[in-house]
């Protein structure tokens, strides 16, 4: 039987490429000198796309692939794939939920503690020899004690973060588009109201048009000068300029960020600030978890061709078969 053709949008983990190479004819989009000529040459044969991290699959690309049936995203966030267009055209989009949930929640708690207790700053202090020269690191103004956390996006990862904060005995409330009757936390239909009532905001909503600049100057001002903002969702969900201004003017106390508007570019205003913690989008980035994500990314393609349906289709996808 003729082998099926898969388009890969960027470099992926060895375990993914090895498995795809063994089962399919794989075409590497990012290696094409002339993308138009490349797509003209192989576009008619492509039935699946394996979407590498930080790469885009828009309608213009999918339109060039008339035989396309499945777009398999490596990652749970699929804001760089036009899933609505794919759904309308009978193309499945799949992502890699659940297998990364606990890892990202672990990272979020690490980032939260680093930010609240100024752990990176205090480590820099020690490394510069200042402990010996100038005495103990100053007491931190913030603490998790007596503080309330508002989670923006109480989904799979949001709930795993909440479970950890429960164990830390920190009160939790949440904001999303819908109230969830089965959770023990208070719900705020308006984000600005929640920001006013909490000390720490943890954002873990998807990117895309619906959430663009959800956290703006108004929300940051409602959080206030003792407030701390943590973002592990997507850079696009916060107005980054407004965040920088609020941090500069001390209209919020500090921020812990794993995601940025134009990754891997991080504004120099942020890198020069002492009172922020900045991570290079490492939420799920362990060998253990990335291997599980890679496997699910492959399984979605293979299972689609075996059964007509991927393992973990996204909500916009047509439920065929
Ligand atoms: P889920 O779909 O389980 O949860 C998403 C949550 O966001 C839901 O509770 C949803 O609630 C809420 N939400 C969606 N749209 C809006 C909106 N417009 N306004 C307010 N709330 C909204 O996803 P996961 O928890 O699995 O993942 C969440 C996101 O985390 C991913 O999409 C990705 O962007 C990010 N992520 C980041 C990682 C990192 O390395 N930093 C790693 C993995 C994921 P409701 O429907 O009620 O609005």
């Amino acid at each position: 039987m003729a082998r099926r053709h898969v388009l890969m949008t960027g470099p992926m983990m060895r375990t993914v490429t090895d498995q795809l190479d063994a089962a399919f004819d794989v075409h590497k989009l990012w290696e094409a000198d002339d993308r138009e000529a490349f797509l003209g040459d192989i576009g008619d044969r492509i039935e699946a796309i394996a979407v590498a991290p930080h790469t885009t699959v828009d309608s213009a690309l999918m339109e060039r692939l008339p035989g396309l049936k499945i777009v398999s995203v490596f990652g749970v966030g699929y804001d760089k794939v036009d899933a609505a267009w794919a759904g309308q055209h009978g193309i499945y989009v799949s992502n890699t939920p659940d297998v990364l949930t606990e890892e990202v929640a672990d990272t979020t708690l690490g980032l939260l503690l680093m930010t609240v207790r100024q752990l990176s700053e205090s480590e820099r202090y020690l490394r510069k020899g200042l402990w010996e020269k100038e005495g103990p690191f100053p007491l931190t103004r913030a603490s998790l004690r007596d503080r309330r956390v508002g989670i923006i996006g109480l989904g799979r990862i949001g709930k795993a973060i909440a479970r950890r904060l429960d164990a830390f005995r920190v009160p939790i409330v949440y904001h999303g588009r819908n109230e969830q009757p089965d959770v023990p936390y208070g719900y705020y239909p308006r984000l600005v109201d929640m920001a006013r009532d909490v000390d720490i905001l943890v954002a873990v909503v998807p990117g895309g048009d619906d959430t663009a600049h959800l956290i703006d100057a108004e929300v940051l001002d409602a959080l206030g000068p003792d407030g701390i903002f943590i973002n592990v969702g997507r850079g696009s969900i916060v107005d980054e300029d407004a965040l920088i201004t609020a941090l500069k003017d001390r209209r919020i106390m500090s921020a812990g960020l794993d995601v940025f508007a134009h990754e891997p570019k991080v504004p120099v205003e942020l890198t020069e600030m002492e009172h922020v913690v900045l991570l290079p989008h490492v939420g799920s980035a362990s060998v253990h978890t990335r291997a599980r994500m890679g496997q699910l990314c492959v399984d979605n393609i293979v299972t689609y061709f075996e059964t007509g349906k991927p393992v973990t289709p996204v909500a916009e996808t047509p439920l065929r078969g």
Side-chain angles (χ1 to χ4, degrees), residues 98 100-110 112-113 144-145 149 151 154 156-172 185:
D98 301 316
L100 48 61
T101 294
E102 303 300 329
E103 191 82 70
V104 180
D106 290 347
T107 311
T108 308
L109 261 290
L112 177 64
L113 287 172
L144 269 189
R145 301 305 105 210
V149 171
I151 298 178
L154 194 70
R156 287 172 295 244
I157 300 170
K159 287 193 180 80
I161 294 167
R163 280 199 305 278
R164 284 157 176 74
L165 288 170
D166 278 342
F168 281 43
R169 303 201 183 288
V170 174
I172 299 159
Y185 315 117

Side-chain angles (χ1 to χ4, degrees), residues 36 49 51 78 101 108 117 135 159 162 164 166 234 310 320:
E36 285 309 302
I49 306 180
V51 186
Y78 54 96
T101 294
T108 308
R117 297 299 323 287
K159 287 193 180 80
R164 284 157 176 74
D166 278 342
R234 281 288 181 268
R320 299 174 302 183

Side-chain angles (χ1 to χ4, degrees), residues 250-261:
R250 305 276 172 170
R251 296 198 332 269
I252 66 168
M253 189 192 289
S254 60
L257 310 172
D258 185 43
V259 286
F260 302 88

Side-chain angles (χ1 to χ4, degrees), residues 75-79 95-98 100-101 104 107-108 152-159 174-180 187 191 203-207 209-212 214 231-235 237 258-259 263 280-285 290 293:
V76 72
Y78 54 96
D79 44 300
N95 62 348
T96 63
D98 301 316
L100 48 61
T101 294
V104 180
T107 311
T108 308
I152 311 171
L154 194 70
R156 287 172 295 244
I157 300 170
K159 287 193 180 80
Y174 73 101
H175 163 76
R177 289 165 303 182
N178 308 294
E179 183 165 13
Q180 303 184 43
Y187 172 65
L191 173 55
V204 62
V205 281
D209 293 346
D210 288 354
T211 54
L214 183 67
N231 191 7
V232 292
R234 281 288 181 268
I237 69 177
D258 185 43
V259 286
E263 296 175 8
H281 202 146
V282 293
S284 66
R290 287 287 168 87
M293 290 163 62

